[in-house]
């Protein structure tokens, strides 16, 4: 490890503060470091490995496709891409899918479509996108502009123009901001993940959806972190009984390989035409084959289990020693700890649990299929870390 650490420090760009742990193997929700120490993975690569590490179904699908065609240009048809688009549309009621490789790239596609829709429907002055304060939409220059947190913006000015930020859960502020700016779209995360695992209020989201519909302003839902079963429904917007015009997703959809998707609804399915958007790797057959395996297993019975595990976590931490509050939805959980979250995280790691933070909270994003006994074990270790002096 010490040699690896030296090489990594010397040659890998200095953008990540890594923990001093090298993960070399894993299965499901258990991972192992180079000394053989076992950890329960309560972060799943920041919500990516939906069915855990080296899940058999996912692995078989990926390996099978690997032996057929690893990449083809989007100039040709490939089966996994078409199949995945069909599954996504049938499960959501959306009409068309554009495939990308990451959350930021999926959001870029959503933003381009929203701008084109606005210009076509209401003229060239209709391009602004309203996003929420405390939101997170990615790290590219445009998705940073969409992100409603000033500290991400500071070092990278000037950002892409055409974004304004309004107060979450304040329908008056969002609607007035949208009208004042001749907005093309409003973009939200139903649960603000990086912002501290904070679900939006149901009444706010429903009023916003009604406002957007009445004013022909697109409602874009960023499901990069919340999507693909994470919140106990296939997509988080389904907890709010709304139908967005555009949905972006990534992370968990690929189960561990890079894949992003933009889902277009009735109003937007034909907005982007030939040659207006593209991505060399978008819809890669291996990534899509893995995603078909993941998506086709997230059915109602599976989501019911996600909800039950969620209830278990909430009840274990609510009122527990060293815990101030619990927030989130499904298996996307934020725990406001009395001690600094970073200290709790460190203790968890020492005691064999990998977790995450989001702002001042401990964040849990376990694999959706984590076995109950493994979850119970992890929760006990985390509770102890929260309570310890
Ligand atoms: N949108 C949301 C809501 C996210 O949580 C993230 C990443 O954390 C992104 C976009 C960016 O995704 P990526 O890192 O895959 O570009």
């Amino acid at each position: 490890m010490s040699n690896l650490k030296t090489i990594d420090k010397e040659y890998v760009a200095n953008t990540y503060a890594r923990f001093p742990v090298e993960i070399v193997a894993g299965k499901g929700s258990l991972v192992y470091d180079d000394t053989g120490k076992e950890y329960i993975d309560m972060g799943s690569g920041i919500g990516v490995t939906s069915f855990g590490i080296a899940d058999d179904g996912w692995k078989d699908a990926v390996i099978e496709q690997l032996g057929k065609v690893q990449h083809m240009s989007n100039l040709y048809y490939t089966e996994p891409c078409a199949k995945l688009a069909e599954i996504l549309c049938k499960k959501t009621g959306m009409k068309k899918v554009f495939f990308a490789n990451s959350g930021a790239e999926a959001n870029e596609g959503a933003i381009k479509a929203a701008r084109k829709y606005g210009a076509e429907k209401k003229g060239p002055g209709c391009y602004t996108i309203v996003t929420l304060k405390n939101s997170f939409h990615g790290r590219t220059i445009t998705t940073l502009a969409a992100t409603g947190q000033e500290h991400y913006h500071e070092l990278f000015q000037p950002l892409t123009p055409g974004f304004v930020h309004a107060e979450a859960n304040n329908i008056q502020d969002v609607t007035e901001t949208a009208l004042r700016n001749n907005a093309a779209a409003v973009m939200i995360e139903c649960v603000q993940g990086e912002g501290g695992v904070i679900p939006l209020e149901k009444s706010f989201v429903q009023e916003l959806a009604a406002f957007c519909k009445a004013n022909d302003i697109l409602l874009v839902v960023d499901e990069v972190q919340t999507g693909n079963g994470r919140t106990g429904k296939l997509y988080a917007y389904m907890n709010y009984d709304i139908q967005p015009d555009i949905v972006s997703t990534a992370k968990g959809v690929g189960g561990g390989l890079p894949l992003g998707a933009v889902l277009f609804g009735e109003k937007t399915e034909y907005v982007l035409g030939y040659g207006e958007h593209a991505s060399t790797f978008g819809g890669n057959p291996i990534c899509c084959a893995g995603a078909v395996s993941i998506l086709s297993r997230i059915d109602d019975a599976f989501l019911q289990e996600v909800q039950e595990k969620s209830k278990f976590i909430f009840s274990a931490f609510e009122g527990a020693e060293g815990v101030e509050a619990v927030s989130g939805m499904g298996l996307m959980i934020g725990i406001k700890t009395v001690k600094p979250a970073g200290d709790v995280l460190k203790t968890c790691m020492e005691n064999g649990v990998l977790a995450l933070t989001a702002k001042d909270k401990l964040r849990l994003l376990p694999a959706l299929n984590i076995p109950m006994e493994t979850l119970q074990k992890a929760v006990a270790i985390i509770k102890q870390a929260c309570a310890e002096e």
Side-chain angles (χ1 to χ4, degrees):
M1 174 68 187
S2 69
N3 187 34
L4 182 84
K5 212 166 153 183
T6 312
I7 296 170
D8 194 288
K9 280 238 172 295
E10 182 157 356
Y11 295 110
V12 177
N14 198 23
T15 62
Y16 302 108
R18 298 201 203 279
F19 295 110
V21 176
E22 181 195 350
I23 300 298
V24 295
K27 187 74 193 162
S29 286
L30 300 178
V31 293
Y32 302 89
D33 72 11
D34 58 328
T35 68
K37 180 173 169 180
E38 182 180 278
Y39 300 85
I40 301 174
D41 182 9
M42 293 292 284
S44 60
I46 321 194
V48 168
T49 46
S50 309
F51 281 67
I53 302 289
D55 167 72
D56 287 330
W58 175 83
K59 205 171 75 176
D60 289 349
V62 164
I63 289 173
E64 196 190 331
Q65 185 58 40
L66 189 60
K68 290 182 184 166
V69 177
Q70 83 274 31
H71 172 81
M72 247 301 141
S73 152
N74 277 306
L75 296 171
Y76 306 97
Y77 294 99
T78 53
E79 189 186 348
C81 171
K83 258 192 171 168
L84 179 59
E86 181 186 27
I87 292 174
L88 285 167
C89 289
K90 288 205 165 146
K91 283 181 179 260
T92 59
M94 301 298 276
K95 301 291 176 196
K96 296 245 181 318
V97 183
F98 176 86
F99 288 111
N101 304 284
S102 67
E105 195 194 356
N107 283 339
E108 292 268 352
I111 290 162
K112 277 178 74 174
R115 282 193 170 189
K116 186 161 179 244
Y117 181 89
E120 281 179 353
K121 279 307 244 339
K122 301 185 185 168
C126 180
Y127 55 80
T128 297
I129 295 176
V130 181
T131 65
L132 300 181
K133 290 181 183 164
N134 197 45
S135 60
F136 184 84
H137 297 293
R139 301 278 193 162
T140 61
I141 289 293
T142 296
T143 55
L144 273 183
T147 293
Q149 301 188 56
E150 286 304 318
H151 70 99
Y152 285 109
H153 297 176
E154 278 156 16
L155 303 173
F156 305 104
Q157 296 293 331
L159 301 178
T160 308
F163 292 90
V164 288
H165 312 297
E167 220 41 77
N169 295 322
N170 183 336
I171 192 66
Q172 195 181 345
D173 189 31
V174 176
T175 55
E176 283 177 8
T177 303
L179 294 174
R180 196 169 54 242
N181 289 281
N182 189 20
V186 178
M187 179 154 111
I188 61 170
E189 298 155 90
C190 289
V191 183
Q192 295 189 326
E194 301 303 306
V197 201
I198 307 168
L200 295 180
E201 288 165 12
K202 191 164 187 176
S203 58
F204 167 74
V205 174
Q206 292 191 333
E207 284 170 46
L208 176 61
F211 164 81
C212 286
K213 195 170 178 197
N215 291 277
D216 199 6
I217 292 170
L218 297 178
L219 179 61
V220 181
V221 180
D222 177 342
E223 295 266 6
V224 170
Q225 194 164 147
T226 52
N228 314 296
R230 178 57 53 194
T231 67
K233 298 269 185 185
L234 184 60
Y235 289 98
Y237 75 78
M238 295 170 176
N239 293 293
Y240 291 82
D241 304 320
I242 57 157
Q243 187 66 38
D245 299 303
I246 300 178
V247 172
S248 59
T249 192
K251 285 187 182 283
V253 72
L257 285 173
L259 183 66
V262 195
L263 280 55
F264 297 109
E266 246 157 47
K267 277 186 173 184
T268 54
E269 64 173 313
Y270 296 111
V271 170
L272 294 176
Y274 289 126
E276 290 174 352
H277 198 46
S279 174
T280 297
F281 287 111
N284 171 274
I286 296 173
C287 302
C288 287
V292 167
S293 157
I294 298 288
L295 261 293
S296 52
R297 282 183 283 162
I298 305 180
D299 57 13
D300 287 346
F302 182 80
L303 290 168
Q304 186 61 39
E305 285 175 28
V306 170
Q307 289 170 20
E308 275 155 25
K309 286 173 205 168
S310 173
K311 274 191 206 133
F312 165 72
I313 299 177
F314 268 92
S315 60
F317 285 102
E318 273 167 348
E321 206 183 331
V323 172
E324 281 178 9
V326 190
S327 65
M329 209 183 266
L331 289 177
M332 181 172 178
I333 303 219
I335 302 170
K336 177 81 187 77
T337 50
V338 173
K339 287 195 296 189
D343 294 353
V344 177
L345 187 82
K346 200 164 161 271
T347 309
C348 287
M349 200 177 302
E350 282 160 11
N351 296 331
V353 169
L354 301 182
L356 304 161
T357 56
K359 290 226 160 145
D360 60 350
K361 290 181 187 160
L362 193 71
R363 175 172 41 155
L364 307 180
L365 299 172
L368 305 179
N369 66 345
I370 184 170
M372 200 56 190
E373 318 81 77
T374 313
L375 182 59
Q376 282 165 342
K377 218 168 138 188
V379 163
I381 292 170
I382 300 166
K383 274 178 91 167
Q384 194 193 339
C386 292
E388 267 171 19
E389 285 302 310

